[in-house]
Amino acid sequence: MSLLSIKSLSKNFGGLQALNQITLDVTEGSVHGLMGANGAGKTTLFSIIAGNQRATTGTILFAGQPINGLRPDQVCKRGISRTFQIVRPFAGLTVRENVEIAILYGRQTPPKVSEAAALAQDILADIGLDALSDQPAGSLTLSGRKRLEVARALGTEPRLLMLDEVMAGLTPVEVTDMIASLRRVKDSHGLTILIIEHVMSALTDMSDTITVLHHGEKIAQGTPKQIADNAAVQEAYFGIAEPLEAPA
Amino acid sequence: MTIPFISTNSSLPAVSATVIGAVLIVGLGVTMGSYWTVVALNLFMWIALTQSWSLFSGMTGYISLGHVVAYGIGAYLVAVTFKMIPLWLSIPLGGLAAGLFALIVAIPVLRVRGPYFVILTFGLAELVKYILLYTETTFGKSSRLLFGAPKTEVLLYWVAALAVIATLITYFVGRSRFGKGLAAVREDETAAETIGVPVTRLKVLAFAASAVIPGMIGGLMAMRSTYFDVLQVFNPTISFSIVTMAIIGGAGDARGPILGALFMLGLAELLWSTAPQLYFILLGLFLIGFVLFAPNGLIGLIKRRKQPKGSVS
Ligand SMILES: Nc1ncnc2c1ncn2[C@@H]1O[C@H](COP(=O)(O)OP(=O)(O)OP(=O)(O)O)[C@@H](O)[C@H]1O
Ligand SMILES: [Mg+2]
């Protein structure tokens, strides 16, 4: 069953067609990868789903309900949470407070204020930030900020978690850690994940299905193996029609 | 007493300190004679105003330079209805009118941020001032005499009570869900709304709430001067002083506005009558010094000293 169902979605920025007639279904419980070169429209798609931007045309159904035109806070309460590629921590607040606010505002039935700190601490432990929970978020390293993006998104108790390049700029060891953390929280929270990633090995490693965007168009969709063998993807990525190394 | 969403137990020391401190100052002011009664009145007035300002501007980071408009509207309502309706009614009504005004202008005004918001609030307050001035002179009422106003002591009790209430509101809101939402708005509105914070609703509520007590203070201070003059109660210097006290004391912590008001009134007591020029020069220097070197004000300096050595932040 598809949790998220996007139909003929387009977005123009003035003359620029950032997304052109995108149709996409995300199966409940799956990890759905989204790839494409710089400027393909991946982040724009996230922004529209989350309500940060309006689609020019098209419809978005979440759990069978239309969510077009809802405000971001309303979309969040429905159960969709995104991270930002360019991280946006509440830099002047502590790491724990960042997550507490997500817990207090993002959930359909928020807990008491006095319980939020403990809940935040659990989430921070899940993704390996618990040692830094009293630090100001502004003092975190890039890897820490990426983790905080994930922790804050998890604080809202989403059904659909949308991750925008949370592994970009991380060292190989940190990438391995992040993948392990994401697998853990996906299982423990019963999440569906839509993930944008340039680190190909991470994407093929995690995804059940991958969709490829190119200049705002959907040019391919399939299993990681199918995508690696797809000639149109080769063309778009390298300008050559040679198969990528197949994923292990 | 239970207040939803917050634990009140841990707040007992702060609440009792506020109340006891206020009672002591009121007692001192009244027993030491009329000069000190007025000093105490001024102190509480500025605490109430700055504390209310901090409830919105300190928590959201939208710097309002037009807070005098609430003061003026409250004063106007109380002056116009003087001797027609009793003060215990007209003063809360003045607060309500100020809050209502803020609620109405909130949506358009809160669409802009940063320097534009500062200028817009300043301009709006000036606009209201001149509209009322025009109305009053048209009806031949450029100033209204207010005979038979309550004694200064009575006004002091009211103003001190409002200062205590404003302080407790800032204190409790800071620890509440509402306050945490406002902090998220201050830090990053896009991130805040994406994690479920209803940004516009919170801003509008805080903006309207922060005008109510200043409206009541305006009404009370109109009684104090025994005549009502539009230019006096809408004087932009009141807005500037509020912001100055908030900067010197530090916003975003209920203790900041108290320190700011104490500091500025202390400076004024020392210099105002003997060297008024020096007072303004020093005030300017302090303001620049705090903005550049201690942006979190006196309260920020105190907190920094309390922090254990070697801790990073
Ligand atoms: N707010 C905006 N106004 C105008 N153009 C925009 C805006 N946001 C994105 N674009 C343009 O839309 C296109 C898609 O951008 P988007 O950020 O969605 O790409 P992306 O696939 O996420 O790229 P990257 O891999 O670099 O993150 C780009 O050409 C970009 O310049
Ligand atoms: Mg992007």
Side-chain angles (χ1 to χ4, degrees):
Chain A
M1 196 204 104
S2 68
L3 180 63
L4 182 73
S5 185
I6 295 169
K7 291 196 180 64
S8 321
L9 189 91
S10 296
K11 175 72 180 176
N12 299 349
F13 290 113
L16 181 89
Q17 181 96 33
L19 291 171
N20 188 11
Q21 297 287 323
I22 301 292
T23 292
L24 182 71
D25 281 275
V26 178
T27 309
E28 174 133 44
S30 71
V31 176
H32 195 123
L34 208 54
M35 61 180 265
N38 294 114
K42 306 176 299 291
T43 298
T44 303
L45 185 61
F46 271 24
S47 295
I48 291 172
I49 297 169
N52 299 115
Q53 289 180 351
R54 290 279 167 101
T56 309
T57 58
T59 57
I60 308 169
L61 297 180
F62 180 69
Q65 304 284 318
I67 57 165
N68 303 59
L70 293 184
R71 293 194 313 263
D73 57 296
Q74 295 170 319
V75 174
C76 175
K77 288 222 172 53
R78 296 283 181 99
I80 299 180
S81 197
R82 73 171 288 190
T83 66
F84 289 95
Q85 178 179 357
I86 318 270
V87 294
R88 314 188 74 125
F90 301 135
L93 307 180
T94 68
V95 169
R96 191 192 298 107
E97 282 171 325
N98 268 260
V99 182
E100 274 179 52
I101 293 167
I103 291 172
L104 289 171
Y105 279 95
R107 300 185 177 185
Q108 239 156 19
T109 44
K112 286 194 207 138
V113 168
S114 54
E115 292 163 5
L119 292 169
Q121 197 62 26
D122 289 346
I123 291 169
L124 289 167
D126 270 346
I127 64 141
L129 266 184
D130 48 332
L132 300 173
S133 46
D134 290 317
Q135 297 294 319
S139 72
L140 293 178
T141 60
L142 177 66
S143 154
R145 287 166 192 234
K146 295 264 178 184
R147 284 177 179 276
L148 180 57
E149 283 286 324
V150 179
R152 210 167 51 179
L154 285 172
T156 68
E157 243 175 20
R159 285 174 74 185
L160 174 67
L161 177 62
M162 302 199 293
L163 303 169
D164 195 348
E165 301 201 20
V166 289
M167 295 179 224
L170 303 193
T171 66
V173 177
E174 287 168 341
V175 168
T176 313
D177 279 357
M178 182 68 99
I179 293 177
S181 300
L182 291 175
R183 286 226 168 90
R184 228 174 20 246
V185 295
K186 177 182 184 296
D187 291 340
S188 59
H189 293 71
L191 294 174
T192 305
I193 294 179
L194 186 56
I195 180 169
I196 298 172
E197 204 51 68
H198 276 304
V199 183
M200 274 306 295
S201 58
L203 195 68
T204 51
D205 209 22
M206 289 194 65
S207 305
D208 302 304
T209 309
I210 292 178
T211 297
V212 185
L213 297 184
H214 190 60
H215 293 317
E217 315 246 359
K218 177 171 160 179
I219 58 164
Q221 178 167 319
T223 63
K225 173 88 175 83
Q226 288 166 340
I227 293 301
D229 295 339
N230 186 300
V233 178
Q234 311 301 315
E235 184 76 35
Y237 259 71
F238 303 108
I240 44 158
E242 250 177 61
L244 286 173
E245 192 187 318
Chain B
M1 180 175 69
T2 57
I3 298 172
F5 306 125
I6 44 178
S7 86
T8 42
N9 311 337
S10 57
S11 324
L12 202 60
V15 173
S16 28
T18 308
V19 175
I20 292 169
V23 170
L24 280 178
I25 295 174
V26 169
L28 270 177
V30 173
T31 48
M32 283 173 68
S34 60
Y35 177 80
W36 290 101
T37 311
V38 173
V39 172
L41 180 70
N42 281 333
L43 176 68
F44 285 116
M45 172 188 89
W46 288 115
I47 291 176
L49 291 177
T50 309
Q51 210 66 268
S52 305
W53 179 90
S54 172
L55 175 66
F56 171 73
S57 290
M59 298 215 187
T60 63
Y62 281 75
I63 307 300
S64 160
L65 203 54
H67 244 61
V68 72
V69 78
Y71 181 96
I73 286 174
Y76 186 64
L77 191 133
V78 168
V80 168
T81 62
F82 189 55
K83 292 274 160 78
M84 283 152 58
I85 57 176
L87 284 178
W88 60 261
L89 185 62
S90 68
I91 283 166
L93 279 180
L96 217 59
L100 211 61
F101 173 79
L103 196 63
I104 290 166
V105 300
I107 299 273
V109 168
L110 287 168
R111 293 170 73 106
V112 296
R113 256 210 104 113
Y116 302 103
F117 182 80
V118 179
I119 306 288
L120 192 56
T121 47
F122 176 75
L124 190 67
E126 289 289 287
L127 180 69
V128 173
K129 176 174 87 178
Y130 285 112
I131 288 174
L132 285 185
L133 190 65
Y134 177 75
T135 319
E136 288 285 278
T137 36
T138 306
F139 292 105
K141 295 242 179 187
S142 63
S143 70
R144 295 164 186 266
L145 292 175
L146 306 168
F147 290 123
K151 288 193 301 184
T152 312
E153 284 80 12
V154 178
L155 295 176
L156 173 62
Y157 302 143
W158 280 74
V159 173
L162 288 178
V164 168
I165 292 169
T167 301
L168 294 182
I169 288 175
T170 307
Y171 175 76
F172 281 115
V173 165
R175 321 175 120 219
S176 69
R177 177 173 185 263
F178 182 49
K180 287 180 196 290
L182 293 176
V185 170
R186 179 184 64 219
E187 294 289 327
D188 187 328
E189 285 188 38
T190 302
E193 62 181 355
T194 303
I195 59 165
V197 178
V199 169
T200 304
R201 192 193 314 161
L202 259 52
K203 284 193 297 192
V204 169
L205 270 177
F207 190 62
S210 83
V212 174
I213 286 182
M216 295 172 72
I217 295 286
L220 287 161
M221 295 314 280
M223 291 295 103
R224 152 108 186 95
S225 53
T226 65
Y227 73 97
F228 171 84
D229 170 17
V230 173
L231 290 179
Q232 187 189 317
V233 298
F234 282 95
N235 188 342
T237 312
I238 296 177
S239 297
F240 298 147
S241 299
I242 294 174
V243 177
T244 306
M245 288 185 199
I247 288 171
I248 289 179
D253 182 306
R255 290 167 294 181
I258 299 176
L259 292 175
L262 279 170
F263 184 90
M264 257 183 79
L265 289 185
L267 197 65
E269 279 310 308
L270 284 178
L271 298 174
W272 181 248
S273 53
T274 50
Q277 314 291 353
L278 188 61
Y279 167 72
F280 280 112
I281 291 170
L282 279 181
L283 196 60
L285 287 178
F286 275 118
L287 192 57
I288 294 167
F290 273 97
V291 168
L292 289 180
F293 304 113
N296 296 319
L298 289 168
I299 192 65
L301 293 177
I302 291 171
K303 278 185 185 163
R304 207 189 298 168
R305 285 201 51 174
K306 271 197 201 152
Q307 246 168 37
K309 284 202 185 78
S311 80
V312 283
S313 73

